[in-house]
Amino acid sequence: MTAIDDPTLSIDHAQVRKAAARIAPAHSDFMDQHRAWYALVGTNLYYVRELLAQATEEPAPDVVTSRKILDALGFPVFALGYRDLLDHGHPAHRE
């Protein structure tokens, strides 16, 4: 079990895997910059907030907390890179 930045939210690895089995994975036809963080469960990517909402049956925490929870549970977490990020990298990493 893990609870990061929210003592009321407890979730385990199995709950996340079961949630992933119930929802559709992320698909290139429906990507947008507001769904920039994904978690890898099995062989599919899922939007971190939608995955946690399904797993907890509660509104998901913010995206930062959601990705930290999934990372703490051992799921690889990825960000969507687009436009300036691909051309120049993250501004914090350029110096």
Side-chain angles (χ1 to χ4, degrees):
M1 292 279 204
T2 188
I4 296 176
D5 295 337
D6 186 349
T8 64
L9 182 67
S10 293
I11 187 167
D12 65 26
H13 199 270
Q15 285 174 279
V16 173
R17 292 187 73 75
K18 287 178 186 175
R22 292 192 302 265
I23 61 176
H27 192 280
S28 61
D29 286 346
F30 306 109
M31 293 174 73
D32 68 51
Q33 66 187 24
H34 303 293
R35 292 172 149 177
W37 285 95
Y38 305 87
L40 182 66
V41 180
T43 59
N44 293 308
L45 292 174
Y46 297 88
Y47 304 113
V48 294
R49 293 193 73 226
E50 291 173 13
L51 183 59
L52 275 182
Q54 183 67 225
T56 61
E57 298 179 355
E58 298 286 336
D62 62 86
V63 71
V64 173
T65 303
S66 295
R67 66 183 172 84
K68 286 180 180 180
I69 290 169
L70 291 166
D71 178 63
L73 289 170
F75 293 100
V77 178
F78 301 90
L80 172 65
Y82 56 95
R83 290 186 227 126
D84 209 38
L85 288 174
L86 293 175
D87 293 337
H88 305 290
H90 194 281
H93 300 163
R94 289 187 206 152
E95 305 276 324

Coordinates of all heavy atoms in Angstrom, one line a residue:
M1 N 0.8 -1.2 0.0 CA 0.0 0.0 0.0 C 0.9 1.2 0.0 O 2.0 1.2 0.6 CB -0.9 0.0 1.3 CG -1.9 -1.0 1.3 SD -3.3 -0.5 0.3 CE -4.6 -1.5 1.1
T2 N 0.3 2.3 -0.6 CA 1.1 3.6 -0.6 C 0.1 4.7 -0.4 O -1.1 4.6 -0.8 CB 1.9 3.8 -1.9 OG1 2.7 4.9 -1.7 CG2 1.0 4.0 -3.1
A3 N 0.5 5.7 0.2 CA -0.2 7.0 0.4 C 0.8 8.1 0.3 O 1.6 8.3 1.2 CB -1.0 7.0 1.7
I4 N 0.7 8.9 -0.7 CA 1.7 10.0 -0.9 C 0.9 11.3 -0.9 O 0.0 11.5 -1.7 CB 2.4 9.8 -2.2 CG1 3.3 8.6 -2.2 CG2 3.3 11.0 -2.5 CD1 4.0 8.2 -3.4
D5 N 1.2 12.2 -0.1 CA 0.6 13.5 0.0 C -0.9 13.5 0.3 O -1.6 14.5 0.2 CB 0.8 14.3 -1.3 CG 2.3 14.7 -1.5 OD1 3.1 14.7 -0.5 OD2 2.7 14.9 -2.6
D6 N -1.4 12.3 0.6 CA -2.9 12.2 0.9 C -3.1 11.0 1.8 O -3.2 9.9 1.3 CB -3.7 12.1 -0.4 CG -5.2 12.1 -0.2 OD1 -5.6 12.0 1.0 OD2 -5.9 12.2 -1.1
P7 N -3.2 11.2 3.1 CA -3.3 10.1 4.0 C -4.6 9.3 3.8 O -4.7 8.2 4.3 CB -3.2 10.7 5.4 CG -3.6 12.2 5.2 CD -3.2 12.5 3.7
T8 N -5.6 9.8 3.1 CA -6.8 9.1 2.9 C -6.8 8.2 1.7 O -7.7 7.4 1.5 CB -8.0 10.1 2.8 OG1 -7.8 10.9 1.6 CG2 -8.1 11.0 4.0
L9 N -5.8 8.3 0.9 CA -5.7 7.5 -0.4 C -4.7 6.4 -0.2 O -3.5 6.5 0.0 CB -5.2 8.4 -1.5 CG -5.1 7.7 -2.9 CD1 -6.5 7.3 -3.4 CD2 -4.4 8.6 -3.9
S10 N -5.3 5.2 -0.1 CA -4.4 4.0 0.0 C -4.8 3.1 -1.2 O -5.9 2.8 -1.5 CB -4.7 3.2 1.3 OG -4.3 3.9 2.4
I11 N -3.7 2.6 -1.9 CA -3.9 1.8 -3.1 C -2.7 0.8 -3.2 O -1.6 1.1 -2.7 CB -4.0 2.7 -4.3 CG1 -4.3 1.9 -5.5 CG2 -2.8 3.5 -4.5 CD1 -4.8 2.7 -6.7
D12 N -2.9 -0.3 -3.8 CA -1.8 -1.2 -4.0 C -1.7 -1.6 -5.5 O -2.5 -1.3 -6.3 CB -2.0 -2.5 -3.1 CG -3.2 -3.3 -3.4 OD1 -3.7 -3.3 -4.6 OD2 -3.6 -4.0 -2.5
H13 N -0.6 -2.3 -5.8 CA -0.3 -2.7 -7.1 C -1.4 -3.5 -7.8 O -1.8 -3.2 -9.0 CB 1.0 -3.6 -7.1 CG 1.7 -3.7 -8.3 ND1 1.5 -4.7 -9.3 CD2 2.7 -2.9 -8.9 CE1 2.3 -4.5 -10.3 NE2 3.0 -3.4 -10.1
A14 N -2.0 -4.4 -7.1 CA -3.1 -5.2 -7.7 C -4.3 -4.4 -8.1 O -4.9 -4.7 -9.1 CB -3.5 -6.3 -6.7
Q15 N -4.6 -3.4 -7.3 CA -5.8 -2.6 -7.6 C -5.5 -1.8 -8.9 O -6.5 -1.7 -9.7 CB -6.0 -1.5 -6.5 CG -6.7 -2.1 -5.2 CD -6.7 -1.0 -4.2 OE1 -5.7 -0.8 -3.5 NE2 -7.9 -0.4 -4.0
V16 N -4.3 -1.4 -9.1 CA -4.0 -0.6 -10.3 C -4.1 -1.6 -11.5 O -4.7 -1.2 -12.6 CB -2.6 0.0 -10.2 CG1 -2.2 0.6 -11.6 CG2 -2.6 1.1 -9.1
R17 N -3.6 -2.8 -11.4 CA -3.6 -3.8 -12.5 C -5.1 -4.1 -12.8 O -5.4 -4.2 -14.0 CB -2.8 -5.0 -12.2 CG -1.3 -4.7 -12.1 CD -0.5 -5.9 -11.9 NE -0.4 -6.8 -13.1 CZ 0.3 -6.5 -14.2 NH1 1.0 -5.4 -14.3 NH2 0.3 -7.3 -15.2
K18 N -5.9 -4.3 -11.8 CA -7.3 -4.6 -12.1 C -8.0 -3.4 -12.8 O -8.9 -3.6 -13.7 CB -8.1 -4.9 -10.8 CG -7.7 -6.3 -10.2 CD -8.4 -6.5 -8.9 CE -7.9 -7.8 -8.3 NZ -8.5 -8.0 -6.9
A19 N -7.7 -2.2 -12.3 CA -8.3 -1.0 -13.0 C -7.9 -0.9 -14.4 O -8.7 -0.6 -15.3 CB -7.8 0.3 -12.2
A20 N -6.6 -1.2 -14.7 CA -6.2 -1.2 -16.1 C -6.9 -2.2 -17.0 O -7.2 -1.9 -18.2 CB -4.7 -1.4 -16.2
A21 N -7.3 -3.3 -16.4 CA -8.0 -4.3 -17.2 C -9.5 -3.8 -17.5 O -10.1 -4.3 -18.5 CB -8.1 -5.6 -16.4
R22 N -10.0 -2.9 -16.7 CA -11.3 -2.4 -16.9 C -11.5 -1.2 -17.9 O -12.6 -0.9 -18.3 CB -12.0 -2.0 -15.6 CG -12.2 -3.2 -14.7 CD -13.1 -2.8 -13.5 NE -12.5 -1.7 -12.7 CZ -11.8 -1.8 -11.6 NH1 -11.5 -3.0 -11.1 NH2 -11.3 -0.8 -10.9
I23 N -10.4 -0.5 -18.1 CA -10.4 0.7 -18.9 C -9.6 0.6 -20.2 O -8.7 -0.2 -20.3 CB -10.0 2.0 -18.1 CG1 -8.5 1.9 -17.7 CG2 -10.9 2.2 -17.0 CD1 -8.0 3.1 -17.0
A24 N -9.9 1.4 -21.2 CA -9.2 1.4 -22.4 C -7.8 2.1 -22.2 O -7.8 3.1 -21.6 CB -10.0 2.1 -23.5
P25 N -6.8 1.5 -22.8 CA -5.5 2.2 -22.7 C -5.5 3.5 -23.6 O -6.4 3.7 -24.4 CB -4.5 1.2 -23.3 CG -5.4 0.2 -24.2 CD -6.7 0.3 -23.6
A26 N -4.5 4.3 -23.3 CA -4.3 5.5 -24.1 C -4.1 5.2 -25.5 O -3.6 4.2 -25.9 CB -3.1 6.3 -23.6
H27 N -4.7 6.0 -26.4 CA -4.6 5.7 -27.8 C -4.2 7.0 -28.6 O -4.7 8.1 -28.2 CB -6.0 5.2 -28.3 CG -6.0 4.7 -29.7 ND1 -6.0 5.5 -30.8 CD2 -5.9 3.4 -30.1 CE1 -5.9 4.7 -31.9 NE2 -5.9 3.5 -31.5
S28 N -3.4 6.9 -29.6 CA -2.9 8.0 -30.3 C -4.1 8.9 -30.9 O -3.9 10.1 -31.1 CB -2.0 7.6 -31.4 OG -2.6 6.8 -32.3
D29 N -5.2 8.3 -31.2 CA -6.3 9.1 -31.7 C -6.9 10.1 -30.7 O -7.6 11.0 -31.0 CB -7.5 8.2 -32.2 CG -7.1 7.5 -33.5 OD1 -6.2 7.9 -34.1 OD2 -7.8 6.5 -33.8
F30 N -6.6 9.8 -29.4 CA -7.3 10.6 -28.3 C -6.3 11.4 -27.4 O -6.6 11.8 -26.4 CB -8.2 9.8 -27.5 CG -9.2 9.0 -28.3 CD1 -9.0 7.6 -28.4 CD2 -10.2 9.6 -28.9 CE1 -9.9 6.9 -29.2 CE2 -11.1 8.9 -29.7 CZ -11.0 7.6 -29.8
M31 N -5.0 11.5 -27.9 CA -4.0 12.2 -27.1 C -4.2 13.7 -27.1 O -4.6 14.2 -28.2 CB -2.6 11.8 -27.6 CG -2.3 10.3 -27.4 SD -0.7 9.9 -28.1 CE 0.4 10.7 -27.0
D32 N -3.9 14.3 -26.1 CA -3.8 15.8 -26.1 C -2.8 16.2 -25.0 O -2.4 15.4 -24.1 CB -5.1 16.5 -25.9 CG -5.8 16.3 -24.5 OD1 -5.1 16.5 -23.5 OD2 -7.0 15.9 -24.5
Q33 N -2.4 17.5 -25.0 CA -1.3 17.9 -24.1 C -1.8 18.0 -22.7 O -1.0 18.1 -21.8 CB -0.8 19.3 -24.6 CG -1.8 20.4 -24.5 CD -1.3 21.7 -25.1 OE1 -0.4 21.7 -25.9 NE2 -1.8 22.8 -24.7
H34 N -3.1 17.9 -22.4 CA -3.6 17.9 -21.1 C -3.6 16.5 -20.4 O -3.9 16.4 -19.2 CB -5.0 18.5 -21.0 CG -5.0 19.9 -21.6 ND1 -4.4 21.0 -21.0 CD2 -5.6 20.4 -22.8 CE1 -4.6 22.1 -21.8 NE2 -5.3 21.7 -22.8
R35 N -3.3 15.6 -21.2 CA -3.1 14.2 -20.7 C -1.7 13.8 -21.0 O -1.4 12.8 -21.8 CB -4.1 13.2 -21.4 CG -5.5 13.5 -21.1 CD -6.3 12.6 -22.0 NE -7.6 12.2 -21.4 CZ -8.5 11.5 -22.0 NH1 -8.3 11.1 -23.2 NH2 -9.6 11.1 -21.4
A36 N -0.7 14.5 -20.4 CA 0.7 14.3 -20.8 C 1.4 13.2 -20.0 O 2.5 12.9 -20.3 CB 1.4 15.6 -20.6
W37 N 0.8 12.7 -18.9 CA 1.5 11.7 -18.1 C 0.8 10.3 -18.2 O -0.4 10.2 -18.1 CB 1.6 12.1 -16.7 CG 2.6 13.2 -16.5 CD1 2.3 14.5 -16.5 CD2 4.0 13.0 -16.3 NE1 3.5 15.2 -16.3 CE2 4.5 14.3 -16.2 CE3 4.8 11.9 -16.2 CZ2 5.9 14.5 -16.0 CZ3 6.1 12.1 -16.0 CH2 6.7 13.4 -15.9
Y38 N 1.6 9.3 -18.4 CA 1.1 7.9 -18.6 C 1.8 7.0 -17.7 O 3.0 7.2 -17.4 CB 1.4 7.5 -20.1 CG 0.8 8.4 -21.1 CD1 1.6 9.5 -21.6 CD2 -0.5 8.3 -21.6 CE1 1.0 10.4 -22.5 CE2 -1.0 9.1 -22.5 CZ -0.2 10.2 -23.0 OH -0.8 11.1 -23.9
A39 N 1.2 5.9 -17.4 CA 1.8 4.8 -16.6 C 1.7 3.5 -17.5 O 0.7 3.3 -18.2 CB 1.1 4.6 -15.3
L40 N 2.8 2.8 -17.5 CA 2.8 1.5 -18.2 C 2.3 0.4 -17.3 O 2.9 0.1 -16.2 CB 4.2 1.2 -18.7 CG 4.4 -0.1 -19.5 CD1 3.7 0.0 -20.8 CD2 5.9 -0.3 -19.7
V41 N 1.2 -0.3 -17.7 CA 0.7 -1.4 -17.0 C 0.6 -2.5 -18.0 O -0.1 -2.4 -19.0 CB -0.7 -1.1 -16.4 CG1 -1.2 -2.3 -15.6 CG2 -0.6 0.1 -15.5
G42 N 1.4 -3.6 -17.7 CA 1.5 -4.6 -18.7 C 2.1 -4.1 -20.0 O 3.3 -3.6 -19.9
T43 N 1.4 -4.2 -21.1 CA 2.0 -3.7 -22.4 C 1.3 -2.4 -22.9 O 1.5 -2.0 -24.0 CB 1.9 -4.8 -23.5 OG1 0.6 -5.1 -23.7 CG2 2.8 -6.0 -23.1
N44 N 0.5 -1.8 -22.0 CA -0.3 -0.6 -22.4 C 0.0 0.6 -21.6 O 0.3 0.4 -20.4 CB -1.8 -0.9 -22.4 CG -2.2 -2.0 -23.4 OD1 -1.9 -1.8 -24.6 ND2 -2.9 -3.0 -22.9
L45 N -0.2 1.7 -22.2 CA -0.1 3.0 -21.4 C -1.5 3.5 -21.1 O -2.4 3.4 -21.8 CB 0.6 4.1 -22.3 CG 2.1 3.9 -22.6 CD1 2.5 4.9 -23.6 CD2 2.9 3.9 -21.4
Y46 N -1.6 4.0 -19.8 CA -2.8 4.6 -19.3 C -2.6 6.0 -18.8 O -1.5 6.2 -18.2 CB -3.4 3.7 -18.2 CG -3.7 2.3 -18.7 CD1 -2.7 1.3 -18.7 CD2 -5.0 2.0 -19.1 CE1 -3.0 0.0 -19.2 CE2 -5.3 0.7 -19.6 CZ -4.3 -0.2 -19.6 OH -4.6 -1.5 -20.1
Y47 N -3.5 6.9 -18.9 CA -3.4 8.2 -18.4 C -3.4 8.1 -16.8 O -4.3 7.4 -16.3 CB -4.6 9.1 -18.8 CG -4.7 9.2 -20.3 CD1 -5.8 8.6 -20.9 CD2 -3.7 9.8 -21.0 CE1 -5.9 8.7 -22.3 CE2 -3.8 9.9 -22.4 CZ -4.9 9.3 -23.1 OH -5.0 9.4 -24.4
V48 N -2.4 8.7 -16.2 CA -2.2 8.4 -14.7 C -3.4 8.8 -13.9 O -3.8 8.0 -13.0 CB -1.0 9.2 -14.2 CG1 0.3 8.6 -14.8 CG2 -1.0 10.7 -14.4
R49 N -4.1 9.9 -14.2 CA -5.2 10.3 -13.3 C -6.4 9.4 -13.6 O -7.1 9.0 -12.6 CB -5.6 11.7 -13.6 CG -4.5 12.7 -13.1 CD -4.9 14.1 -13.0 NE -5.8 14.3 -11.9 CZ -7.0 14.9 -12.0 NH1 -7.4 15.5 -13.1 NH2 -7.7 15.0 -10.9
E50 N -6.7 9.0 -14.8 CA -7.8 8.1 -15.1 C -7.6 6.7 -14.5 O -8.5 6.1 -14.0 CB -8.1 8.0 -16.6 CG -8.6 9.4 -17.2 CD -8.7 9.4 -18.7 OE1 -8.6 8.3 -19.3 OE2 -8.8 10.5 -19.2
L51 N -6.4 6.3 -14.6 CA -6.0 5.0 -14.0 C -6.3 5.0 -12.5 O -6.9 4.1 -11.9 CB -4.6 4.6 -14.3 CG -4.1 3.3 -13.9 CD1 -4.9 2.1 -14.5 CD2 -2.6 3.1 -14.3
L52 N -5.8 6.0 -11.8 CA -6.0 6.1 -10.3 C -7.4 6.3 -10.0 O -7.9 5.7 -9.0 CB -5.1 7.2 -9.7 CG -3.7 6.8 -9.4 CD1 -3.0 8.0 -8.7 CD2 -3.6 5.6 -8.5
A53 N -8.2 7.0 -10.7 CA -9.6 7.2 -10.4 C -10.3 5.9 -10.5 O -11.2 5.6 -9.7 CB -10.2 8.3 -11.4
Q54 N -10.0 5.1 -11.6 CA -10.6 3.8 -11.7 C -10.2 2.8 -10.6 O -11.0 2.1 -10.1 CB -10.2 3.2 -13.1 CG -10.9 1.9 -13.4 CD -12.4 2.0 -13.6 OE1 -13.1 1.2 -13.1 NE2 -12.8 3.0 -14.3
A55 N -9.0 2.9 -10.2 CA -8.5 2.0 -9.2 C -9.0 2.3 -7.8 O -9.3 1.4 -7.0 CB -6.9 2.1 -9.1
T56 N -9.2 3.6 -7.5 CA -9.7 4.0 -6.2 C -11.2 4.2 -6.1 O -11.8 4.3 -5.0 CB -9.0 5.2 -5.7 OG1 -9.3 6.3 -6.6 CG2 -7.5 5.0 -5.6
E57 N -11.8 4.3 -7.3 CA -13.2 4.7 -7.4 C -13.5 6.0 -6.7 O -14.6 6.2 -6.1 CB -14.1 3.5 -6.9 CG -13.9 2.2 -7.7 CD -14.8 1.1 -7.1 OE1 -15.4 1.2 -6.1 OE2 -14.8 0.0 -7.8
E58 N -12.6 6.9 -6.7 CA -12.7 8.2 -6.2 C -12.0 9.2 -7.2 O -11.3 8.7 -8.1 CB -11.8 8.3 -4.9 CG -12.3 7.4 -3.7 CD -13.6 7.9 -3.1 OE1 -13.9 9.1 -3.2 OE2 -14.3 7.1 -2.5
P59 N -12.3 10.5 -7.1 CA -11.6 11.4 -8.0 C -10.1 11.3 -7.7 O -9.6 11.2 -6.6 CB -12.1 12.8 -7.5 CG -13.4 12.5 -6.9 CD -13.3 11.1 -6.2
A60 N -9.4 11.3 -8.8 CA -7.9 11.1 -8.7 C -7.3 12.4 -8.2 O -7.8 13.5 -8.4 CB -7.3 10.8 -10.1
P61 N -6.2 12.3 -7.5 CA -5.4 13.5 -7.1 C -4.9 14.2 -8.3 O -5.0 13.7 -9.4 CB -4.3 12.9 -6.1 CG -4.3 11.5 -6.4 CD -5.5 11.0 -7.0
D62 N -4.2 15.3 -8.1 CA -3.6 16.0 -9.2 C -2.6 15.1 -9.9 O -2.2 14.1 -9.4 CB -2.9 17.3 -8.6 CG -1.8 17.0 -7.6 OD1 -0.7 16.8 -8.1 OD2 -2.1 17.0 -6.4
V63 N -2.2 15.6 -11.0 CA -1.3 14.7 -11.9 C 0.1 14.5 -11.2 O 0.6 13.4 -11.4 CB -1.1 15.3 -13.3 CG1 -0.3 16.6 -13.3 CG2 -0.6 14.3 -14.3
V64 N 0.6 15.4 -10.5 CA 1.9 15.2 -9.9 C 1.8 14.1 -8.8 O 2.6 13.2 -8.8 CB 2.4 16.5 -9.2 CG1 3.7 16.3 -8.4 CG2 2.7 17.5 -10.3
T65 N 0.8 14.2 -8.0 CA 0.6 13.2 -6.9 C 0.3 11.8 -7.6 O 0.8 10.8 -7.1 CB -0.6 13.6 -6.0 OG1 -0.2 14.9 -5.4 CG2 -0.7 12.6 -4.9
S66 N -0.6 11.8 -8.6 CA -0.9 10.6 -9.3 C 0.3 9.9 -9.9 O 0.5 8.7 -9.7 CB -1.9 10.9 -10.4 OG -3.1 11.4 -10.0
R67 N 1.2 10.6 -10.5 CA 2.4 9.9 -11.1 C 3.3 9.5 -10.0 O 4.0 8.4 -10.1 CB 3.0 10.8 -12.1 CG 3.7 12.1 -11.7 CD 4.2 12.8 -12.9 NE 4.7 14.1 -12.5 CZ 5.9 14.4 -12.0 NH1 6.7 13.4 -11.8 NH2 6.2 15.6 -11.7
K68 N 3.4 10.2 -8.9 CA 4.3 9.8 -7.8 C 3.7 8.5 -7.1 O 4.5 7.6 -6.8 CB 4.4 10.9 -6.7 CG 5.3 12.0 -7.2 CD 5.3 13.1 -6.1 CE 6.2 14.3 -6.5 NZ 6.3 15.3 -5.5
I69 N 2.4 8.4 -7.0 CA 1.8 7.2 -6.4 C 2.1 6.0 -7.3 O 2.6 4.9 -6.9 CB 0.3 7.4 -6.2 CG1 0.0 8.4 -5.1 CG2 -0.4 6.0 -6.0 CD1 -1.4 8.8 -5.0
L70 N 1.9 6.1 -8.6 CA 2.1 5.0 -9.5 C 3.6 4.6 -9.6 O 3.9 3.5 -9.6 CB 1.6 5.4 -10.9 CG 0.0 5.4 -10.9 CD1 -0.5 6.1 -12.2 CD2 -0.6 4.0 -10.8
D71 N 4.5 5.6 -9.6 CA 5.9 5.4 -9.5 C 6.3 4.6 -8.2 O 7.0 3.6 -8.3 CB 6.7 6.7 -9.6 CG 8.2 6.4 -9.6 OD1 8.7 5.8 -10.4 OD2 8.8 6.9 -8.6
A72 N 5.7 5.0 -7.1 CA 6.0 4.4 -5.8 C 5.6 2.9 -5.8 O 6.1 2.1 -5.2 CB 5.4 5.1 -4.7
L73 N 4.5 2.6 -6.6 CA 4.0 1.3 -6.7 C 4.8 0.4 -7.7 O 4.5 -0.8 -7.9 CB 2.5 1.3 -7.1 CG 1.6 1.8 -6.0 CD1 0.2 1.9 -6.6 CD2 1.5 0.8 -4.9
G74 N 5.8 1.1 -8.4 CA 6.6 0.3 -9.3 C 6.2 0.4 -10.8 O 6.8 -0.4 -11.6
F75 N 5.2 1.2 -11.1 CA 4.8 1.3 -12.5 C 5.7 2.3 -13.2 O 5.8 3.4 -12.7 CB 3.3 1.7 -12.6 CG 2.4 0.6 -12.1 CD1 1.8 0.7 -10.9 CD2 2.1 -0.5 -12.9 CE1 1.0 -0.3 -10.4 CE2 1.2 -1.5 -12.5 CZ 0.7 -1.4 -11.2
P76 N 6.2 2.0 -14.4 CA 7.0 3.0 -15.1 C 6.0 4.2 -15.5 O 4.9 3.9 -16.0 CB 7.5 2.3 -16.4 CG 7.4 0.8 -16.0 CD 6.3 0.7 -15.0
V77 N 6.5 5.4 -15.4 CA 5.7 6.6 -15.7 C 6.4 7.4 -16.8 O 7.6 7.5 -16.7 CB 5.5 7.4 -14.4 CG1 4.7 8.7 -14.7 CG2 4.8 6.6 -13.3
F78 N 5.6 7.8 -17.8 CA 6.2 8.5 -18.9 C 5.4 9.8 -19.1 O 4.3 10.0 -18.8 CB 6.0 7.7 -20.2 CG 6.6 6.3 -20.2 CD1 5.9 5.2 -19.7 CD2 7.9 6.2 -20.6 CE1 6.5 4.0 -19.6 CE2 8.5 4.9 -20.6 CZ 7.8 3.8 -20.0
A79 N 6.2 10.8 -19.7 CA 5.6 12.0 -20.1 C 5.5 12.2 -21.6 O 6.4 11.7 -22.3 CB 6.4 13.2 -19.5
L80 N 4.5 12.8 -22.1 CA 4.4 13.1 -23.6 C 5.3 14.3 -23.9 O 5.2 15.3 -23.3 CB 3.0 13.5 -23.9 CG 2.7 14.0 -25.3 CD1 2.9 12.9 -26.3 CD2 1.2 14.4 -25.4
G81 N 6.2 14.1 -24.8 CA 7.1 15.2 -25.3 C 6.6 15.7 -26.6 O 6.3 14.9 -27.5
Y82 N 6.5 17.0 -26.7 CA 6.0 17.6 -28.0 C 6.6 18.9 -28.1 O 7.2 19.5 -27.2 CB 4.5 17.7 -28.0 CG 3.9 18.5 -26.8 CD1 3.7 19.8 -26.9 CD2 3.7 17.9 -25.6 CE1 3.2 20.5 -25.8 CE2 3.2 18.6 -24.5 CZ 3.0 19.9 -24.6 OH 2.5 20.6 -23.6
R83 N 6.6 19.4 -29.3 CA 7.0 20.7 -29.8 C 8.4 21.1 -29.2 O 9.4 20.4 -29.4 CB 6.0 21.8 -29.4 CG 4.8 21.7 -30.3 CD 3.8 22.9 -30.1 NE 2.5 22.3 -29.9 CZ 1.7 22.5 -28.9 NH1 2.0 23.3 -28.0 NH2 0.5 22.0 -28.9
D84 N 8.4 22.2 -28.4 CA 9.7 22.7 -27.9 C 10.5 21.7 -27.0 O 11.7 21.7 -27.0 CB 9.4 24.0 -27.1 CG 10.5 24.9 -27.1 OD1 11.2 25.1 -28.2 OD2 10.8 25.6 -26.1
L85 N 9.7 20.8 -26.3 CA 10.4 19.8 -25.5 C 11.3 18.9 -26.4 O 12.4 18.5 -26.0 CB 9.4 19.0 -24.7 CG 8.8 19.7 -23.5 CD1 7.7 18.8 -22.9 CD2 9.8 20.1 -22.5
L86 N 10.8 18.5 -27.5 CA 11.5 17.6 -28.4 C 12.7 18.4 -29.1 O 13.7 17.8 -29.3 CB 10.6 17.0 -29.5 CG 9.5 16.1 -29.0 CD1 8.6 15.7 -30.1 CD2 10.1 14.9 -28.4
D87 N 12.4 19.6 -29.5 CA 13.5 20.4 -30.2 C 14.6 20.8 -29.2 O 15.8 20.8 -29.6 CB 12.9 21.6 -30.8 CG 12.0 21.2 -32.0 OD1 12.1 20.1 -32.5 OD2 11.1 22.0 -32.3
H88 N 14.3 21.2 -28.0 CA 15.2 21.9 -27.1 C 15.4 21.2 -25.7 O 16.2 21.7 -25.0 CB 14.9 23.4 -26.9 CG 14.7 24.1 -28.2 ND1 15.8 24.4 -29.0 CD2 13.6 24.5 -28.9 CE1 15.3 25.0 -30.1 NE2 14.0 25.1 -30.0
G89 N 14.6 20.3 -25.4 CA 14.6 19.7 -24.1 C 13.9 20.5 -23.1 O 13.4 21.6 -23.4
H90 N 13.8 20.0 -21.9 CA 13.1 20.7 -20.8 C 13.9 22.0 -20.4 O 15.2 21.9 -20.3 CB 13.0 19.8 -19.6 CG 12.0 20.3 -18.6 ND1 12.3 21.3 -17.7 CD2 10.7 19.9 -18.3 CE1 11.3 21.5 -16.9 NE2 10.3 20.7 -17.3
P91 N 13.3 23.1 -20.2 CA 14.0 24.3 -19.9 C 14.9 24.2 -18.6 O 16.0 24.8 -18.6 CB 12.9 25.4 -19.6 CG 11.7 24.8 -20.3 CD 11.8 23.3 -20.3
A92 N 14.5 23.4 -17.7 CA 15.3 23.3 -16.4 C 16.6 22.5 -16.7 O 17.5 22.5 -15.9 CB 14.5 22.6 -15.4
H93 N 16.7 21.8 -17.8 CA 17.8 20.9 -18.1 C 18.8 21.5 -19.1 O 19.7 20.9 -19.6 CB 17.3 19.6 -18.6 CG 16.5 18.9 -17.6 ND1 15.7 17.8 -18.0 CD2 16.3 19.0 -16.3 CE1 15.0 17.4 -16.9 NE2 15.4 18.1 -15.9
R94 N 18.5 22.8 -19.6 CA 19.3 23.4 -20.6 C 20.6 24.1 -20.1 O 21.5 24.3 -20.8 CB 18.5 24.4 -21.4 CG 17.4 23.8 -22.2 CD 16.8 24.8 -23.1 NE 15.4 24.3 -23.4 CZ 14.4 25.1 -23.7 NH1 14.5 26.4 -23.6 NH2 13.2 24.6 -23.9
E95 N 20.6 24.4 -18.9 CA 21.7 25.2 -18.3 C 22.9 24.3 -18.0 O 22.9 23.3 -17.6 CB 21.3 25.9 -17.0 CG 20.0 26.8 -17.3 CD 20.3 28.2 -17.8 OE1 21.3 28.7 -17.4 OE2 19.6 28.6 -18.6

